[in-house]
């Protein structure tokens, strides 16, 4: 079993671990503990280095995490990992912004988010709505940015399914066992395993790029934080 350090600390940029298994000639590495986030829940995997070798993919294999390397690692079992911080920070801004934007859609437009995808240049949410017009989108965007600028604490905790169902979750959990809850304080509660900023103010800005009809609802494209700054610039 891999201890997943990113659950406890999104801001952990480097860590030490022990290799417990090597596969594919040393190009697939398993550790006792890891800060590398594997692709999951609409969020892509981290990049970085392990023992000085580039990590090109991180795979969630249920009880453990596989680190796929650009070339075989032949060093000692005691290994040092370094996270690509710019990528981690960008994804944390986008993912936290998604939680805020999805709740704003519920409050302002009565539209539930059905799925989320985080791409390299923009993120999308698929919302159950006939198609919000410009004025309604502006109100949703305004509400989302109010929460950003109010600088709410973003807290995570583990709880049981029974306890989670007593919270005002935006959508019911679809997993069994203990559940990780991400709360944008006093605004949004979601079951989520992703990486997030510590306060909503660190999202910086949420900017809706546009919408399109998709599977009976609407797909909303948006950017947050540094991506929003670069796009608006």
């Amino acid at each position: 079993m891999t201890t997943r350090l990113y659950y406890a600390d999104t801001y952990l940029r480097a860590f030490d671990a022990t290799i417990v298994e090597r596969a594919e000639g040393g190009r697939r590495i398993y550790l006792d503990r890891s800060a590398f986030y594997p692709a999951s829940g609409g969020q892509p995997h981290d990049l970085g280095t392990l023992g000085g070798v580039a990590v090109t993919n991180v795979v969630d294999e249920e009880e453990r995490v596989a680190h796929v390397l650009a070339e075989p690692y032949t060093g000692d079992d005691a290994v040092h990992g370094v996270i690509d911080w710019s990528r981690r920070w960008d994804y944390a801004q986008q993912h936290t912004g998604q939680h805020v934007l999805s709740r704003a859609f519920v409050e302002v437009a009565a539209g539930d988010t059905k799925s989320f995808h985080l791409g390299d240049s923009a993120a999308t949410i698929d919302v159950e709505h006939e198609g919000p017009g410009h004025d309604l989108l502006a109100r949703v965007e305004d509400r989302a940015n109010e929460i950003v600028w109010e600088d709410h604490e973003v807290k995570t905790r583990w709880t049981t399914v029974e306890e989670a169902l007593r919270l005002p979750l935006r959508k019911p959990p679809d997993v069994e066992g203990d559940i990780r809850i991400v709360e944008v304080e006093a605004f949004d509660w979601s079951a989520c395993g992703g990486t997030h900023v510590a306060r909503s103010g660190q999202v910086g800005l949420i900017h809706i790029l546009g919408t399109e009809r998709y599977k009976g609802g609407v797909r909303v494209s948006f950017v947050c934080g540094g991506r929003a700054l670069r796009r608006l610039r």
Side-chain angles (χ1 to χ4, degrees):
M1 177 183 292
T2 307
T3 299
R4 302 176 187 234
L5 303 175
Y6 57 82
Y7 278 153
D9 188 0
T10 288
Y11 296 81
L12 184 63
R13 305 186 187 201
F15 66 101
D16 294 304
T18 301
I19 296 175
V20 297
E21 183 182 341
R22 307 181 193 216
E24 299 177 7
R27 291 192 61 180
R28 197 177 191 90
I29 300 296
Y30 298 90
L31 306 174
D32 63 339
R33 61 203 299 265
S34 178
F36 281 93
Y37 180 83
S40 179
Q43 179 177 331
H45 59 82
D46 280 328
L47 295 176
T49 60
L50 197 58
V53 180
V55 176
T56 60
N57 196 7
V58 187
V59 184
D60 191 336
E61 296 184 356
E62 297 184 355
E63 294 298 319
R64 60 184 189 168
V65 174
H67 306 76
V68 181
L69 307 183
E71 59 187 65
Y73 173 75
T74 58
D76 296 336
D77 286 344
V79 67
H80 186 66
V82 179
I83 304 299
D84 180 334
W85 175 248
S86 62
R87 179 180 172 96
R88 164 67 66 84
W89 180 248
D90 171 49
Y91 286 170
Q93 283 188 314
Q94 310 311 312
H95 203 154
T96 310
Q98 177 264 313
H99 284 223
V100 174
L101 184 61
S102 288
R103 175 63 75 173
F105 261 102
V106 172
E107 281 196 3
V108 177
D112 291 326
T113 293
K114 306 306 293 182
S115 63
F116 160 62
H117 176 72
L118 176 48
D120 290 334
S121 60
T124 63
I125 52 175
D126 295 334
V127 180
E128 283 190 327
H129 198 281
E130 293 181 356
H134 179 270
D135 289 345
L136 185 56
L137 281 177
R139 287 166 49 204
V140 170
E141 192 177 56
D142 285 345
R143 179 57 176 148
N145 282 294
E146 284 177 1
I147 298 302
V148 170
W149 300 329
E150 287 171 4
D151 197 28
H152 294 235
E153 184 179 2
V154 180
K155 301 181 285 187
T156 63
R157 67 181 186 275
W158 289 90
T159 187
T160 64
V161 173
E162 292 76 14
E163 292 171 335
L165 291 175
R166 288 196 285 269
L167 297 171
L169 296 177
R170 186 163 21 89
K171 60 186 296 186
D174 57 1
V175 297
E176 298 179 352
D178 288 347
I179 296 174
R180 183 172 182 257
I181 301 297
V182 176
E183 177 189 350
V184 180
E185 188 176 25
F187 182 68
D188 184 66
W189 293 257
S190 299
C192 182
T195 58
H196 300 274
V197 299
R199 304 192 65 88
S200 64
Q202 293 176 324
V203 173
L205 177 71
I206 298 174
H207 176 51
I208 295 176
L209 300 174
T211 65
E212 60 179 312
R213 297 293 297 170
Y214 184 77
K215 292 185 176 180
V218 61
R219 173 162 286 180
V220 182
S221 300
F222 67 97
V223 286
C224 303
R227 291 192 190 191
L229 174 62
R230 291 188 293 272
R231 180 64 67 99
L232 293 171
R233 184 181 288 159

